[in-house]
Amino acid sequence: MSTAQPDEDADRATPDALLHTRTGTEVAPEDVVLAAGRDVTPKNLEWAKRKIETEGAAALDKLLP
């Protein structure tokens, strides 16, 4: 029988800044496609390349929670 108390922090949301995990490495088109929930196809890779060209690394950050 456990007498552990419920974790009070379990009901709190994680701050957005802590959810982003990019390590500063270059963002690949495949990363953007997958973060968008799309299949890796030539058409989607071209879309991701254009998105990276216009938004930079933020293209991936904008897709992540």
Side-chain angles (χ1 to χ4, degrees), residues 29-50:
E30 291 85 357
D31 297 331
V32 174
V33 170
L34 293 173
R38 299 180 178 192
D39 292 328
V40 179
T41 65
K43 181 179 178 180
N44 288 338
L45 288 172
E46 286 303 315
W47 165 80
K49 287 177 188 176
R50 289 190 307 274

Side-chain angles (χ1 to χ4, degrees), residues 1-22:
M1 183 163 81
S2 174
T3 60
Q5 297 296 318
D7 185 2
E8 293 178 13
D9 292 333
D11 292 331
R12 294 187 204 167
T14 302
D16 189 52
L18 296 177
L19 294 174
H20 297 287
T21 59
R22 191 169 52 84

Side-chain angles (χ1 to χ4, degrees), residues 41-65:
T41 65
K43 181 179 178 180
N44 288 338
L45 288 172
E46 286 303 315
W47 165 80
K49 287 177 188 176
R50 289 190 307 274
K51 191 166 179 63
I52 291 169
E53 287 174 5
T54 59
E55 300 176 20
L60 182 60
D61 292 338
K62 290 178 181 179
L63 295 169
L64 296 175

